[in-house]
Amino acid sequence: MLSGYVVAALVVRPFSGFIVDSFNRKKVLMLCFFAFFICFTGYIGAGTILMFAIVRTMHGLPFGATTVANSTVAIDVLPSSRRNEGVGFYGLSNNLAMAIAPSAGIYIYSLSGNFQLLFWISLVVAFIGFYAVTTIKIPVRAIVPGKPKLSMDHFFLSRAWLMAVNILLFGLCWGVMSNYVAIYGKEVLDITDGTGVFFAILSMGLFVSRLYGAKSLRQGKLTQNALQGASISAVGFTLFACAFGEWGYYLSALLIGLGNGRMYPAFLNMFICVARHDQRGTANSSILTAWDSGMGIGILLGGVLVEYWSYSAAFWATAISQISGMLLLLFFTRRFFLRRKIHS
């Protein structure tokens, strides 16, 4: 059920980038967001595990399309002079959502013991999001003359292929951590009911990092932000894998938050900077596809490693993946980006 959501999002995202770049972006966003919102009613009505799995998988389709359309519209409404900084804060909103929601969900369920309540809350929050996008005003885009009718770049930004590999390695780490952190803390570190605190500290790290890094993003220091964030996260994932105990568990959450808060927004800007203005949808779909591919691989790889070795082996794999991504960025991806950069 976990993998079905990610696989569905992966299937639709390359086509989402093409659609967002080819049609009215606000209308596309509103249609996708409405479908995303209405899918939450399926969880409320699902009466069997099979129906739940079907709803979960189908929900991945509008989720994948909505995230591409939403991030592309966010770029359109930002003034060019503050685009790097604005995209950084937009990236922070995504990271914070992924970090805060598990804590909130765990806390609400611990109080109520009612999953139906969680689904109703999700439905209401999704509706608020849908209403918010209906109020957005975006500038009219001119049609780009001479644009090829059909090419690979309509579905994946081939100019950014190495950056996509880099993001995949980082997404793998998040896939393992987000899905197995609770059981790892309980069974390996003997930390019960610590998952909510872990994600709360992670959220704090993301927020602090984004505030601290706003100025350097505004100055266009993208590769520096990405490398610093990847390095801090590498220390965090390594500390987590070392299993030093409760202090290491929570300190690693802070470091991973600080690192991802700098790394992901910088990479998002890097993808946009190597794309033409009429390829923003494709750029967004490409980084999200790479990230979700990494998360999907992380979920499956983590399950295999836990099944045949141990939770420690799974988290050592995340540390190795993060360090590999950091080294790839240091020695190759930085130069790759600077050679292909079109605009700031």
Side-chain angles (χ1 to χ4, degrees), residues 176-177 179-181 183-184 187-188 298-318:
V176 176
M177 182 203 68
N179 283 279
Y180 299 104
V181 62
I183 306 174
Y184 178 73
E187 295 193 4
V188 177
I299 292 170
L300 295 174
L301 177 64
V304 171
L305 291 174
V306 167
E307 179 73 19
Y308 293 101
W309 281 279
S310 64
Y311 286 103
S312 294
F315 283 102
W316 272 113
T318 66

Side-chain angles (χ1 to χ4, degrees), residues 66-277:
T66 300
T67 48
V68 172
N70 202 57
S71 55
T72 306
V73 168
I75 295 164
D76 280 349
V77 300
L78 288 167
S80 57
S81 61
R82 303 196 68 184
R83 183 165 293 137
N84 288 342
E85 183 184 8
V87 169
F89 278 107
Y90 176 80
L92 171 66
S93 72
N94 286 286
N95 292 143
L96 281 176
M98 293 176 68
I100 292 173
S103 300
I106 291 168
Y107 178 72
I108 293 169
Y109 182 72
S110 67
L111 293 179
S112 66
N114 187 349
F115 278 113
Q116 290 291 317
L117 177 61
L118 293 177
F119 298 141
W120 277 107
I121 292 173
S122 299
L123 181 67
V124 171
V125 172
F127 175 76
I128 294 171
F130 171 70
Y131 175 76
V133 301
T134 64
T135 66
I136 297 172
K137 296 179 180 179
I138 63 174
V140 177
R141 293 184 299 121
I143 299 175
V144 178
K147 183 178 178 180
K149 293 184 178 180
L150 188 64
S151 70
M152 180 62 185
D153 272 356
H154 284 158
F155 306 102
F156 181 80
L157 192 64
S158 57
R159 288 175 55 84
W161 69 267
L162 186 59
M163 292 149 57
V165 172
N166 227 150
I167 280 290
L168 185 149
L169 290 171
F170 296 143
L172 185 151
C173 304
W174 199 278
V176 176
M177 182 203 68
S178 60
N179 283 279
Y180 299 104
V181 62
I183 306 174
Y184 178 73
K186 183 177 181 180
E187 295 193 4
V188 177
L189 304 177
D190 197 29
I191 300 173
T192 58
D193 300 325
T195 310
V197 177
F198 180 93
F199 280 107
I201 295 173
L202 181 65
S203 303
M204 182 178 67
L206 288 167
F207 186 72
V208 171
S209 178
R210 186 76 315 275
L211 292 179
Y212 177 72
K215 182 178 179 181
S216 58
L217 271 185
R218 188 164 59 245
Q219 295 170 344
K221 298 178 181 179
L222 303 182
T223 57
Q224 295 94 322
N225 270 267
L227 186 57
Q228 289 170 9
S231 302
I232 295 170
S233 288
V235 176
F237 280 111
T238 303
L239 179 62
F240 193 91
C242 288
F244 285 129
E246 192 168 340
W247 69 270
Y249 181 77
Y250 293 124
L251 178 59
S252 66
L254 179 63
L255 292 173
I256 292 169
L258 290 170
N260 275 270
R262 301 205 72 175
M263 180 271 296
Y264 187 86
F267 261 98
L268 181 55
N269 273 296
M270 288 164 64
F271 270 79
I272 294 164
C273 285
V274 301
R276 300 191 309 266
H277 292 297

